[in-house]
Amino acid sequence: MSQRKPQSLTFKSLLLENPFGLLVAVLVGIISSLAAVALLGISGWFLSAAGLASAMGTALVFNFFTPGALVRLMAILRTAGRYGEQVFSHDHLLGLLRSLRLWVWDQRINTPQAKVNKQTKGDLLQRLVGDLDQIIKWPLAVIMPWVYGLVACLGLFALGAFVSPTLMLPITLYSVVQLWMIPWLANRAALLSVYRMQALSVHRRSRFMSVFSALITLTIRGHWQHYSERLDNLDERQRKLQACLQRSTSKTKLISQLMSFLLIGSFFILCLEITDQGISIQAEVEATWLVALVLAALGVNELMQPISNAVLAQGQSKVGLKRLNQLAISAPLEREDDAPRLAPFQNITLRGFTGRYETSPTSAHLPKVNISISCGGAMRLVGASGSGKSTCLAALAGDINYDGEVLLDDQRFIQLDSPSWRSQLAFLSQQSVIFQQSLRANLCLGNAAASDTELYKVLHTLGLKEWAEALPNGLDTLLGAQGRDISGGQARRICLARVLLRSSPVLILDEPFDGLDSSSIERICGALLEGPYKPDFLIYASHVDTALDRCSHTVML
């Protein structure tokens, strides 16, 4: 989808994502809708014609079988068409949902790493679940009901022209009012309330979600009552908007029903005449076909009712589309493989350097770092919890924004989140991330071209080779999501192995020894001090004293 679809989502682009699937669903729905209208029309003609034949004494020669078969056929087409429409339309919607999720993923991976933290995982999940849910309603609840209504009006127009040409004008007026005038009025009256309702729902959901993360703090500080009143106020506003929308929808449906009754009344006015003998049907109008037309109009009225709810679905879809487009990236990021390589450098200098989380006001008060490290050197950051060690390392790795200056060989370097800088470093964060893939796949994230020999070599260095060889499928053994099938120490060493396989000149490690035993720590220190895994620049934060510290410059934060 990302290769064909523009960066910004539009309803047109979504419809063209799978036009054949939507076309099949619409055609099956049209067949079902016309069959439902025809079922009423043919049944009305059949019953009235059969009754008239019995009254005139011609029941014995009246053809009951052909109309009866048509009635049965229309019933089958209506029922089968409705099931078929649901199958094809939901298949189309599932494909559309898959494409939308891929689009969201494309925007996520193209987001500069320093800006990813502006959006919480909960907000992204809400967009995936809530907004996508609203968008996929658009073809099913807006487009398809209007198409069915249009086709039904055309069929009613053809039947009316057959019964009497004078009926074409009221059917035309009825169609214009039902398909254009009423939706236009409903949009003017309720669309703003729909937008407000959607925006309020999002705000209310975020408020309720924040309760669970701040409940203890609110209770301790005595602010729970005030917060509860704000939640009650949001609930009350939502109830008022919901009632307003219900009234608007009810009024729209009432107007639609009245238009149908007026249409049927116009049929009788135009087809009946008053004579000396009383009220009679005009000579050129057959009574049986007039009954069929009236019942067909009632069937069309049933198809017009979903159009009344289309305003709500359209507003929800527009809000969902607008919110998702807020994720759109104007241009894809440059791939690391295609990025220009940095010239070799011998020194890294940080002046007044500090990391900055956009969503955390406390990061503005972190200490500023002034350090310099030469090629072949190592530096250890120490300090109390919350002193900014992890923030500093994440900023240096380009994961978050920063303040201050970064100099490479006395030349100021600005874009730490650029692919050219990322190609020079490997970063081990505090969190051990293990994917639900094989051990091989998890390791090859550091070096996709690594051979089995290289993989077992790094595992041996970190004391995991015997464990890996004992696994049921060796390197191809599937690891559980978030490493639930392995210990914390094993997960930490797998992540470190991934970093070492990258063989980057700049190695940034955040608490690499956390949760490891002394034997594992000794192995890791040996790998970082000598051999093929020794980096040109080593910057790490650790609260554990190791042999690595004797060769490192210590900076207190």
Side-chain angles (χ1 to χ4, degrees):
M1 178 175 181
S2 58
Q3 296 178 353
R4 305 190 308 271
K5 191 170 290 303
Q7 290 295 326
S8 295
L9 289 173
T10 63
F11 286 124
K12 180 181 178 181
S13 64
L14 292 177
L15 285 180
L16 296 179
E17 178 65 26
N18 182 14
F20 178 75
L22 181 62
L23 180 61
V24 172
V26 171
L27 289 177
V28 174
I30 289 175
I31 293 174
S32 174
S33 301
L34 289 179
V37 175
L39 177 62
L40 287 175
I42 295 174
S43 298
W45 178 89
F46 180 39
L47 292 175
S48 58
L52 184 62
S54 299
M56 297 179 63
T58 58
L60 293 177
V61 296
F62 182 75
N63 182 6
F64 289 92
F65 296 102
T66 301
L70 288 175
V71 169
R72 186 61 179 167
L73 176 63
M74 292 300 108
I76 293 174
L77 288 177
R78 180 194 62 178
T79 304
R82 286 178 176 173
Y83 282 112
E85 177 199 11
Q86 292 181 4
V87 170
F88 285 109
S89 61
H90 283 84
D91 179 71
H92 170 74
L93 291 180
L94 287 175
L96 181 61
L97 181 60
R98 180 177 61 252
S99 299
L100 284 169
R101 286 175 173 170
L102 290 175
W103 181 89
V104 172
W105 174 251
D106 286 344
Q107 308 312 308
R108 185 68 171 176
I109 62 176
N110 284 331
T111 302
Q113 190 68 28
K115 296 182 179 180
V116 168
N117 293 286
K118 288 185 176 181
Q119 185 181 75
T120 63
K121 295 178 182 178
D123 182 55
L124 183 64
L125 181 63
Q126 177 183 320
R127 290 172 189 264
L128 284 171
V129 176
D131 297 339
L132 298 187
D133 235 9
Q134 303 298 342
I135 291 175
I136 62 176
K137 289 181 180 180
W138 190 69
L140 190 64
V142 179
I143 296 298
M144 296 174 73
W146 192 88
V147 172
Y148 300 158
L150 175 62
V151 173
C153 285
L154 292 176
L156 187 66
F157 182 85
L159 181 60
F162 173 78
V163 174
S164 175
T166 58
L167 301 179
M168 297 167 62
L169 179 60
I171 295 177
T172 301
L173 294 175
Y174 170 81
S175 302
V176 170
V177 171
Q178 290 279 36
L179 297 175
W180 180 76
M181 185 66 71
I182 292 180
W184 182 79
L185 291 174
N187 269 278
R188 292 292 300 272
L191 197 57
L192 182 59
S193 296
V194 173
Y195 291 158
R196 290 176 176 173
M197 182 71 176
Q198 287 299 102
L200 186 61
S201 297
V202 172
H203 181 54
R204 179 175 175 269
R205 189 182 301 115
S206 64
R207 283 287 184 182
F208 269 100
M209 290 300 295
S210 63
V211 169
F212 298 101
S213 60
L215 182 59
I216 296 178
T217 303
L218 290 171
T219 304
I220 293 175
R221 296 185 178 180
H223 294 167
W224 168 247
Q225 185 63 33
H226 176 66
Y227 199 88
S228 176
E229 292 174 357
R230 294 171 65 181
L231 291 178
D232 291 340
N233 183 41
L234 286 175
D235 286 343
E236 183 61 27
R237 289 171 60 189
Q238 190 171 29
R239 281 193 291 268
K240 289 181 179 179
L241 282 175
Q242 186 67 42
C244 178
L245 290 176
Q246 289 178 348
R247 287 193 297 269
S248 298
T249 302
S250 299
K251 290 178 182 178
T252 303
K253 290 183 176 181
L254 178 60
I255 295 174
S256 178
Q257 295 279 8
L258 290 176
M259 290 303 304
S260 297
F261 292 145
L262 289 175
L263 177 66
I264 294 174
S266 68
F267 291 164
F268 290 113
I269 292 174
L270 295 175
C271 295
L272 300 178
E273 58 183 3
I274 300 176
T275 62
D276 296 338
Q277 288 77 25
I279 300 176
S280 61
I281 300 178
Q282 294 180 3
E284 64 273 13
V285 177
E286 294 188 20
T288 54
W289 283 111
L290 179 60
V291 174
L293 182 63
V294 170
L295 292 180
L298 293 176
V300 172
N301 173 67
E302 182 180 352
L303 292 176
M304 292 298 176
Q305 297 310 305
I307 299 179
S308 304
N309 297 323
V311 178
L312 181 62
Q314 183 178 5
Q316 292 171 340
S317 300
K318 284 185 176 181
V319 172
L321 193 71
K322 182 178 180 180
R323 280 174 48 81
L324 275 187
N325 274 325
Q326 293 172 356
L327 300 175
I329 306 300
S330 58
L333 290 180
E334 182 182 20
R335 290 177 56 87
E336 186 175 300
D337 296 339
D338 302 330
R341 304 290 292 185
L342 285 176
F345 48 90
Q346 299 299 314
N347 291 280
I348 300 176
T349 302
L350 307 181
R351 293 178 180 172
F353 185 86
T354 182
R356 171 166 46 85
Y357 285 99
E358 302 294 337
T359 57
S360 175
T362 59
S363 60
H365 304 288
L366 294 177
K368 299 185 182 299
V369 178
N370 294 281
I371 59 176
S372 181
I373 179 173
S374 300
C375 184
M379 183 167 293
R380 177 192 180 192
L381 302 182
V382 296
S385 178
S387 60
K389 302 185 298 296
S390 297
T391 305
C392 179
L393 296 181
L396 187 58
D399 277 4
I400 60 176
N401 288 325
Y402 71 94
D403 294 322
E405 291 183 318
V406 179
L407 293 90
L408 304 180
D409 291 341
D410 298 327
Q411 298 294 321
R412 186 176 181 183
F413 187 76
I414 299 176
Q415 296 180 325
L416 291 183
D417 61 344
S418 65
S420 58
W421 172 249
R422 287 183 178 278
S423 65
Q424 301 295 305
L425 66 88
F427 175 46
L428 177 71
S429 64
Q430 248 184 337
Q431 184 180 8
S432 299
V433 180
I434 301 297
F435 296 94
Q436 192 173 4
Q437 297 289 333
S438 66
L439 175 59
R440 182 198 307 276
N442 274 276
L443 293 173
C444 286
L445 289 173
N447 181 6
S451 64
D452 286 4
T453 302
E454 292 174 307
L455 297 181
Y456 277 118
K457 180 180 179 180
V458 72
L459 290 175
H460 174 71
T461 301
L462 298 176
L464 292 176
K465 182 181 178 181
E466 294 182 358
W467 167 77
E469 290 176 335
L471 292 174
N473 298 312
L475 293 174
D476 296 317
T477 301
L478 183 67
L479 302 182
Q482 297 301 319
R484 64 171 181 264
D485 298 334
I486 57 179
S487 68
Q490 289 171 331
R492 196 64 181 159
R493 282 179 283 175
I494 290 174
C495 292
L496 183 57
R498 183 191 302 161
V499 170
L500 296 180
L501 283 168
R502 189 167 169 82
S503 299
S504 300
V506 181
L507 189 58
I508 302 175
L509 307 177
D510 191 358
E511 298 294 348
F513 312 115
D514 191 23
L516 301 184
D517 57 81
S518 58
S519 176
S520 298
I521 293 175
E522 185 177 350
R523 285 176 176 269
I524 294 173
C525 290
L528 296 175
L529 288 173
E530 57 186 22
Y533 304 119
K534 181 181 179 181
D536 295 338
F537 302 88
L538 174 60
I539 305 175
Y540 67 100
S542 175
H543 67 279
V544 179
D545 295 329
T546 65
L548 189 62
D549 302 336
R550 294 194 295 268
C551 304
S552 305
H553 175 64
T554 300
V555 176
M556 176 68 70
L557 297 184

